[in-house]
Amino acid sequence: MTERFDCHYCKESLFGKKYILREESPYCVKCYESLYSNTCEECKKPIGCDCKDLSYKDRHWHETCFHCFQCKNSLVDKPFAAKEEHLLCTECYSNEYSSKCNECKKTIMPGTRKMEYKGNSWHETCFICHRCQQPIGTKTFIPKDNQNFCVPCYEKQFAMQCVQCKKAITTGGVTYREQPWHKECFVCTGCKKQLSGQRFTSRDEFAYCLSCFCNLYAKKCAGCTNPISGLGGTKYISFEERQWHNDCFNCKKCSLSLVGRGFLTERDDILCPECGKDI
């Protein structure tokens, strides 16, 4: 007796008929399509065994239904993009959604490299230095008057030059006697420490920090021997080519402050009238 060869689902004989194996079980075409065929996203009909099933992110289409949502051209074997669950050819997607190059005004196609700055976009080949016309790429650039410059061109055309090192000042800088300096070049003539943001003074057009200026040029207090800077409103007493800090101008014997008072001198000492009455 001949062994039966039936559809796993409807049990009808498959002898002499087309069938499909699924998990080693045979199905007639009708049962297989009703049980397992995918539904086309476009026409909502089953994708039969005699049709090519095209899929994208768990969605399926007949080959003839796989086309651009806008222009209806076939997307089979062509690049495409998805927007809000609609499939679009690259041309329609670009026209509708892609950014435009700020230089040539043409669409920047999906998948191509683009440069972006402050909400504007460029083709990589269009993002160039205004002066030398060379592509900037990922290098540092400086914008000026709605134009972009590579750093060497900007320095040549616009940047001030430091009076000390003669190189361009691209950021920050200090102006002293109407001349530009790099912050790191504007230093004390004596100790070479940076003066930017610090109190300083000058002598013979050379800049000094207060410490160096006082050590080099300030008068010395006859009381404590420390320099009297005279800067920032510092008050001092001067008498017969000698100077004192206000706080140091005291009677040698009783230490009474003599600022605004009468006083006597005994050799290098100064005395209040009381202590000096026996002189």
Side-chain angles (χ1 to χ4, degrees):
M1 184 176 178
T2 305
E3 183 180 353
R4 292 187 64 81
F5 185 57
D6 300 336
C7 172
H8 182 71
Y9 187 74
C10 70
K11 307 306 181 184
E12 288 188 10
S13 175
L14 296 176
F15 280 112
K17 297 179 181 180
K18 185 177 179 180
Y19 66 91
I20 298 100
L21 281 176
R22 182 183 172 89
E23 297 176 356
E24 299 184 358
S25 297
Y27 293 82
C28 66
V29 173
K30 182 178 179 181
C31 288
Y32 182 87
E33 288 183 348
S34 65
L35 291 171
Y36 300 115
S37 289
N38 294 309
T39 301
C40 176
E41 286 282 330
E42 179 69 14
C43 68
K44 309 304 179 185
K45 295 178 181 178
I47 302 173
C49 299
D50 58 344
C51 297
K52 192 172 183 179
D53 186 337
L54 302 179
S55 64
Y56 172 72
K57 290 189 175 180
D58 297 325
R59 299 161 66 199
H60 300 264
W61 290 263
H62 291 104
E63 187 173 13
T64 55
C65 295
F66 193 62
H67 53 68
C68 173
F69 177 74
Q70 286 194 359
C71 70
K72 307 305 180 184
N73 288 332
S74 174
L75 297 177
V76 177
D77 296 328
K78 295 179 181 178
F80 63 90
K83 184 73 173 179
E84 298 173 355
E85 299 195 357
H86 296 307
L87 301 184
L88 300 166
C89 65
T90 53
E91 185 175 353
C92 288
Y93 182 89
S94 298
N95 291 336
E96 190 74 20
Y97 301 109
S98 292
S99 52
K100 300 292 190 292
C101 176
N102 194 55
E103 180 67 22
C104 69
K105 311 305 179 186
K106 294 180 181 178
T107 299
I108 301 175
M109 299 296 288
T112 59
R113 192 172 182 185
K114 68 177 180 178
M115 315 304 291
E116 294 182 314
Y117 177 70
K118 288 191 173 181
N120 293 321
S121 301
W122 290 261
H123 292 108
E124 186 177 20
T125 54
C126 292
F127 191 60
I128 59 176
C129 170
H130 180 73
R131 189 172 188 266
C132 68
Q133 299 296 300
Q134 294 301 307
I136 294 173
T138 57
K139 294 181 290 187
T140 302
F141 68 96
I142 302 172
K144 183 176 177 62
D145 299 331
N146 295 321
Q147 296 169 338
N148 299 316
F149 295 83
C150 64
V151 174
C153 285
Y154 181 87
E155 291 180 351
K156 290 176 184 176
Q157 188 161 338
F158 300 110
M160 292 186 293
Q161 287 192 334
C162 173
V163 70
Q164 176 67 19
C165 68
K166 309 305 180 186
K167 294 180 180 179
I169 301 172
T170 55
T171 58
V174 175
T175 299
Y176 173 64
R177 293 187 179 272
E178 299 183 358
Q179 292 182 314
W181 304 66
H182 288 113
K183 287 183 179 180
E184 56 271 23
C185 293
F186 187 58
V187 297
C188 171
T189 305
C191 65
K192 306 305 179 185
K193 290 182 180 179
Q194 286 190 31
L195 295 177
S196 177
Q198 308 296 322
R199 292 180 65 195
F200 68 92
T201 187
S202 64
R203 186 180 178 96
D204 299 328
E205 297 188 2
F206 295 103
Y208 293 88
C209 67
L210 298 189
S211 178
C212 286
F213 181 84
C214 290
N215 289 334
L216 290 170
Y217 302 112
K219 301 178 185 299
K220 301 296 190 293
C221 175
C224 68
T225 71
N226 290 326
I228 301 173
S229 68
L231 301 172
T234 302
K235 294 181 179 180
Y236 64 97
I237 307 297
S238 180
F239 176 71
E240 292 184 349
E241 298 185 356
R242 290 190 294 166
Q243 289 78 31
W244 292 261
H245 293 107
N246 267 20
D247 293 340
C248 297
F249 193 59
N250 303 321
C251 174
K252 180 66 175 179
K253 290 186 178 181
C254 69
S255 299
L256 177 72
S257 173
L258 299 178
V259 177
R261 300 169 182 264
F263 62 90
L264 303 172
T265 60
E266 184 181 20
R267 299 185 181 87
D268 292 336
D269 298 330
I270 55 173
L271 304 170
C272 66
E274 184 65 28
C275 294
K277 63 183 179 181
D278 297 328
I279 294 176

